[in-house]
Amino acid sequence: MVATQPRSADAPTSPGIGNPPRPAPKWWIWLAAWPVTAVFILSNAATPLYVLWQRDFGFSKGTMTVVFACYIAGLLGSLLVSGVASDRLGRKAVLVPALVLAATACLIFATANDVLALIIARLLTGIAVGAAVSAGMAAVTDVAGAERKHLGALFASTAMVLGAGVGPLLSGVLSENAPAPTVTVFLVEIALLATAFITVLRMPIGRPEHRGTGSWVRMPRVPIANRRQLLLGIAVFAPGITATSFVLSLGPALLSGLLGTASRILAGAMAFAMFLTATAVQFAARSLPRSAIMATSAAATAVAMLSLTVAVHGSSANYLIAAALLAGAGQGLGQLGGLSLLNHAVPAARLAEANAAFNIGGYIPAGLLPVSAGYLSDAVGLSAGATTFALTLLALSLVAAATIRSNRPAISPT
């Protein structure tokens, strides 16, 4: 197959969201995933720094999880707009302002002197991430083209989890070894976002010919024929991303309690390992049937919650790390299975909105349950709060596994 040159951003497109008239070179699929990765590096870059801000600003574990959840609130609000806007105006029209917002969040983080600044920065980060998971991930699929949808889903999904893992590791290392521990990582991130900005401008996709009808601000949805696939995808993605959200928000506190260390490098490394696992399992499982991928996701999340329970009651850092790795596997596989299901079933002109709906379904429990666990931990202790969270998510994972099993023919038709 002869590689074609990227066409102009203003070139006309085919009906719906415009893919290039011929498949773009494979390297462009990788490059199209970079803006997603860059934004997701920011999404978790603050994780190792919470202990520093908590020391300087004096807030509780409950407040810490609220700051984390403001990111999810911004993300959910963004998804109410970004999916529809992306399908109507084009991917670039959504990604460009999202990258500007992400850079603004970096500046606020770097100059924060109270909890309110952290809340605003996390809110702006969530808005940018909402655009990345709707317009950005759909852009990767557009560049991949109709004949490489599975590859597009794989690259988009791994870009998200790889960025989510690199962020806390980069932050932990820089905060321990560079001057201005709560500043340097965000200056580095601004530079990364600048390269993503250039990538978006050069991306070989155009504008949609048909802009659709209806409200611009609405709860994202999919065509009636695809609702079953959406719900099945959420069933496994939601427990997985809720598990990783718990590790990100309260993992450093658990490490401190189990190991007696406040090492930001160790906290960042655990988060990085979690998302590196999420990336690796997606490549390892890419040739499996979707039903097997999704069932394995539910099983991994369930075992992760059992490991978390053992960790907090046995004061075992090894089981805590195992829980983080299994949680990463659960999110990665659930994300890959759900996105693959949507990419193959939903029309291209509705794909960004479908991605938005998928992520809303996952991020609502990912925001509510860790915040509840944080405040419960303040009231009854970290061990009891973490155990209650683990048992709740274990039950949800078992329900997801049973749902996937009963719908296997619809997920991976023969």
Side-chain angles (χ1 to χ4, degrees):
M1 182 179 295
V2 179
T4 59
Q5 294 295 321
R7 67 176 173 174
S8 167
D10 295 322
T13 66
S14 57
I17 292 295
N19 293 324
R22 299 187 188 90
K26 187 175 180 179
W27 60 264
W28 247 116
I29 309 176
W30 284 104
L31 196 57
W34 169 240
V36 178
T37 302
V39 172
F40 269 91
I41 288 174
L42 174 61
S43 71
N44 293 331
T47 296
L49 305 179
Y50 284 136
V51 291
L52 294 178
W53 287 317
Q54 187 178 26
R55 180 198 65 195
D56 294 340
F57 305 155
F59 51 82
S60 67
K61 295 183 183 68
T63 301
M64 186 187 300
T65 55
V66 168
V67 172
F68 180 83
C70 283
Y71 153 78
I72 295 180
L75 187 152
L76 293 175
S78 174
L79 291 174
L80 297 178
V81 181
S82 59
V84 175
S86 172
D87 285 337
R88 293 183 183 180
L89 300 178
R91 315 307 187 202
K92 296 182 182 182
V94 173
L95 286 173
V96 167
L99 290 169
V100 173
L101 281 181
T104 303
C106 288
L107 291 175
I108 297 174
F109 270 130
T111 58
N113 55 17
D114 55 27
V115 175
L116 179 60
L118 299 180
I119 288 174
I120 294 172
R122 288 295 285 170
L123 194 66
L124 293 179
T125 300
I127 294 172
V129 170
V133 298
S134 55
M137 297 175 82
V140 180
T141 302
D142 290 348
V143 172
E147 296 181 356
R148 298 181 293 190
K149 282 187 175 182
H150 181 73
L151 195 62
L154 176 64
F155 284 13
S157 184
T158 53
M160 172 179 168
V161 293
L162 183 61
V166 169
L169 180 62
L170 181 66
S171 179
V173 171
L174 290 178
S175 68
E176 292 276 8
N177 297 288
T182 60
V183 175
T184 305
V185 66
F186 298 111
L187 298 181
V188 172
E189 171 62 5
I190 288 174
L192 298 179
L193 291 169
T195 65
F197 188 90
I198 296 170
T199 300
V200 169
L201 294 181
R202 297 294 301 162
M203 202 174 289
I205 53 176
R207 296 187 299 267
E209 289 184 352
H210 304 292
R211 297 196 172 187
T213 59
S215 173
W216 286 78
V217 181
R218 69 186 189 201
M219 182 63 69
R221 56 184 182 265
V222 295
I224 294 176
N226 304 127
R227 288 179 182 173
R228 187 181 185 186
Q229 290 96 334
L230 174 64
L231 294 175
L232 289 170
I234 291 173
V236 291
F237 176 55
I241 198 167
T242 301
T244 57
S245 294
F246 176 85
V247 173
L248 289 170
S249 58
L250 288 178
L254 283 169
L255 272 178
S256 177
L258 295 175
L259 293 181
T261 177
S263 169
R264 296 185 293 280
I265 293 179
L266 187 58
M270 185 173 72
F272 174 74
M274 178 172 70
F275 286 111
L276 183 64
T277 301
T279 303
V281 296
Q282 292 184 65
F283 280 97
R286 67 186 184 276
S287 60
L288 295 177
R290 281 192 295 273
S291 59
I293 293 173
M294 295 168 78
T296 305
S297 167
T301 304
V303 178
M305 293 302 98
L306 292 174
S307 295
L308 177 60
T309 303
V310 174
V312 296
H313 287 279
S315 298
S316 171
N318 289 335
Y319 275 97
L320 177 61
I321 293 171
L325 298 180
L326 287 164
Q331 178 187 331
L333 293 172
Q335 188 172 294
L336 175 62
L339 285 174
S340 178
L341 193 58
L342 292 177
N343 280 0
H344 281 78
V346 178
R350 298 289 299 277
L351 186 56
E353 189 175 1
N355 285 346
F358 175 70
N359 280 278
I360 283 178
Y363 274 103
I364 287 177
L368 293 177
L369 291 180
V371 168
S372 300
Y375 276 105
L376 185 62
S377 297
D378 284 335
V380 300
L382 187 55
S383 177
T387 300
T388 302
F389 171 86
L391 294 179
T392 301
L393 205 57
L394 172 61
L396 291 176
S397 300
L398 293 176
V399 170
T403 302
I404 297 305
R405 180 180 177 83
S406 62
N407 287 273
R408 187 178 298 169
I411 296 171
S412 298
T414 55

